[in-house]
Amino acid sequence: MYGHGHTPRTPEAERSRRWFMNKALLAGGVAAVATMTGCSSGSSDTASSAASSGAPGGMTSGGPGGGGGGGMGPGAEQVKYADVVGVTTDGKVVEDLYTIHSTDVSTDSLVKAAQAFLDGLSSTERKSCVFDIDADEWTAWSNVDGYDRKGVRMGDMTAKKQNLGYALLGEALSADGLTQTRGIMKLNAFLGDSNGGNQKTLTEGHYFFTFMGTPSTTKPWGFQYEGHHVAINYFVLGDQVVMTPTFMGSEPTTGTYKGEKITLFKPETTAGLAMIRSLTAAQLKKAVSSQSNGNEDMKAGAGQDNLKLAYEGLQCSGLTSAQKTKLLDLAGVYIGYMSEGHAEVKLAEVEKHLDDTYFYWMGETEDDSAFYYRIHSPVVLIEYDAQAPLFYKGDSTASASASASADSSGGGPGGGMGMGGGTPSQEHIHTIIRTPNGGDYGVDLLKLHLENDH
């Protein structure tokens, strides 16, 4: 793509007709099935052409946690890697935001952990999960549980290989980041169990590793860890790290799984409330939207790599010192899921652009309110979105009427498949962090590297 001699290995993007039909059945109703059948003529070619969106013909992506708030749909399509511009306010990239430089934060242990994981795989497993550095696999991620993913699946590996995978995540993430990721995986299994079990996608094991490039302390490489409610994109160049886009979510956000009480997204919730409650009446008028939060307000989910999103809300140049601290504390929750040294580097970058940062809020501000907020600057975009529960009833023993299996014909207790019903709550939360203006996936850094070093 940059004339450097690499041939991108475009991963297959087909979504089977059976998968489409399962999602239509899950959504329930004649309209959803008609939408699916209207775009599927019965040929695999049609399925392939619809695959890049993760949802046929604009149909809301199905499965628990599906819908437009993080899955590829409705109407969103995968952006090919060569076409990634990044999130911008108006389609024009702000230049000279990112440079190749030393951060003085070693990636040696990260590289060793990644190589150890790859060395532990069979030749077939390794072939299935290694792609070129500029492969389209970077952008082929989705929040949806039934999305057809590439790579090696955790649930198909031996315990030894799984442990090598967790060791890699332990080097890439902070302790909080690893706990968060594992908690999401466990509550995914909890959701599956609470809905009758026997659902391959709603387990701890339905999460996948892919690698772009070869682990190196000098050359660009990266990996992706992805499954229902988790998508971590991790780019490495020397001692520079970019961990965006990273999507994290859960339904439910609390539960007891195998004797372990798990509670997720409390820091994101409480730090968000602390920020909004610190504002004056005049500031609130600018920060808070006149709209109440809806069921799905996330803008920058999967398939939105070239999103145009204007700044909204309160510009933070006028914040007091204490308010700026609260804003950085809030951003630090998300940034703090990457390993500590690299998180400090990123947070310093965010602070540098604090006066050009905007804070935006939708919804109420009580402790248990379901709300949406956004932090948006030239170098960071963070979204928090409380959504309507789709399949979780709040009772892990009540499963029969809320089955999330492909045989279910109902929409679940939350109104069904993100199609507008149900009441948002803190039991279903989606979050994302991105690096606007070409920073996601390390695109701008890779371009600079190839231009200057090749």
Side-chain angles (χ1 to χ4, degrees):
M1 83 183 251
Y2 297 117
H4 61 292
H6 286 248
T7 301
R9 188 182 309 164
T10 305
E12 296 177 8
E14 282 197 2
R15 309 291 180 266
S16 69
R17 180 175 175 80
R18 179 182 178 186
W19 183 80
F20 287 147
M21 181 64 79
N22 284 348
K23 294 307 171 186
L25 290 173
L26 269 169
V30 176
V33 177
T35 301
M36 188 282 294
T37 54
C39 79
S40 297
S41 62
S43 70
S44 60
D45 290 340
T46 305
S48 178
S49 66
S52 62
S53 68
M59 186 181 75
T60 301
S61 296
M72 283 194 191
E77 296 183 356
Q78 180 192 350
V79 177
K80 298 298 184 182
Y81 185 90
D83 298 327
V84 172
V85 174
V87 174
T88 62
T89 58
D90 57 4
K92 298 177 182 178
V93 173
V94 178
E95 302 290 346
D96 301 322
L97 288 172
Y98 314 112
T99 61
I100 295 176
H101 61 276
S102 176
T103 64
D104 293 324
V105 182
S106 176
T107 55
D108 289 356
S109 59
L110 173 68
V111 171
K112 289 179 182 178
Q115 195 60 58
F117 176 75
L118 288 170
D119 289 345
L121 300 178
S122 68
S123 58
T124 300
E125 289 171 328
R126 184 162 180 160
K127 184 177 180 180
S128 74
C129 72
V130 177
F131 298 82
D132 289 338
I133 186 61
D134 53 3
D136 290 337
E137 180 61 24
W138 274 122
T139 61
W141 62 269
S142 172
N143 168 59
V144 176
D145 65 314
Y147 190 79
D148 187 16
R149 296 173 169 90
K150 301 300 177 185
V152 286
R153 180 177 179 271
M154 288 291 272
D156 295 334
M157 292 189 286
T158 64
K160 181 178 180 180
K161 294 177 182 179
Q162 288 177 0
N163 287 335
L164 288 171
Y166 289 131
L168 170 55
L169 290 176
E171 290 293 339
L173 307 176
S174 65
D176 287 343
L178 182 59
T179 298
Q180 175 97 331
T181 301
R182 292 292 287 117
I184 292 170
M185 295 169 63
K186 292 171 183 177
L187 286 186
N188 186 54
F190 174 88
L191 177 64
D193 291 346
S194 70
N195 284 279
N198 299 316
Q199 300 153 57
K200 184 178 181 180
T201 63
L202 301 183
T203 60
E204 277 191 79
H206 202 66
Y207 293 84
F208 297 73
F209 273 108
T210 53
F211 291 79
M212 274 53 79
T214 302
S216 168
T217 56
T218 58
K219 297 180 181 179
W221 68 283
F223 73 89
Q224 187 179 77
Y225 187 70
E226 185 203 359
H228 186 213
H229 278 140
V230 173
I232 298 170
N233 291 282
Y234 208 98
F235 174 87
V236 184
L237 176 59
D239 60 11
Q240 290 180 267
V241 165
V242 178
M243 199 177 96
T244 63
T246 287
F247 180 105
M248 291 186 174
S250 190
E251 181 198 3
T253 56
T254 57
T256 299
Y257 178 68
K258 294 184 177 179
E260 179 185 357
K261 178 65 182 294
I262 302 168
T263 301
L264 301 177
F265 299 102
K266 280 298 182 184
E268 292 87 343
T269 300
T270 57
L273 287 170
M275 179 60 203
I276 193 68
R277 290 170 180 174
S278 75
L279 302 182
T280 66
Q283 290 171 328
L284 286 170
K285 287 183 180 180
K286 296 180 179 179
V288 179
S289 171
S290 59
Q291 297 175 269
S292 61
N293 66 309
N295 188 14
E296 292 182 355
D297 296 301
M298 179 173 281
K299 303 295 184 184
Q304 298 295 335
D305 293 314
N306 289 346
L307 174 69
K308 296 178 185 178
L309 183 64
Y311 292 130
E312 292 182 274
L314 173 69
Q315 186 171 2
C316 297
S317 56
L319 295 181
T320 66
S321 176
Q323 290 171 331
K324 288 181 178 180
T325 296
K326 289 186 184 299
L327 183 65
L328 287 172
D329 287 345
L330 176 55
V333 172
Y334 297 84
I335 295 169
Y337 288 139
M338 67 194 304
S339 57
E340 287 82 355
H342 298 294
E344 290 178 7
V345 171
K346 179 61 181 179
L347 197 58
E349 181 182 63
V350 171
E351 186 173 12
K352 180 181 176 181
H353 294 272
L354 202 59
D355 285 349
D356 298 320
T357 302
Y358 288 75
F359 183 67
Y360 179 70
W361 185 280
M362 296 173 65
E364 302 299 323
T365 61
E366 301 302 319
D367 287 351
D368 60 351
S369 296
F371 47 78
Y372 166 95
Y373 64 74
R374 180 192 312 155
I375 299 173
H376 190 186
S377 86
V379 297
V380 73
L381 172 61
I382 294 170
E383 291 185 281
Y384 168 108
D385 189 16
Q387 303 192 349
L390 301 179
F391 285 93
Y392 182 61
K393 283 188 158 185
D395 179 1
S396 62
T397 63
S399 59
S401 63
S403 175
S405 72
D407 295 328
S408 173
S409 61
M417 308 316 302
M419 299 184 73
T423 301
S425 84
Q426 290 182 17
E427 279 297 341
H428 189 187
I429 291 174
H430 286 182
T431 69
I432 195 163
I433 178 170
R434 284 185 176 269
T435 306
N437 295 297
D440 279 341
Y441 313 104
V443 166
D444 198 54
L445 291 181
L446 179 59
K447 183 176 181 180
L448 289 170
H449 169 76
L450 295 175
E451 288 175 347
N452 295 324
D453 295 347
H454 280 211

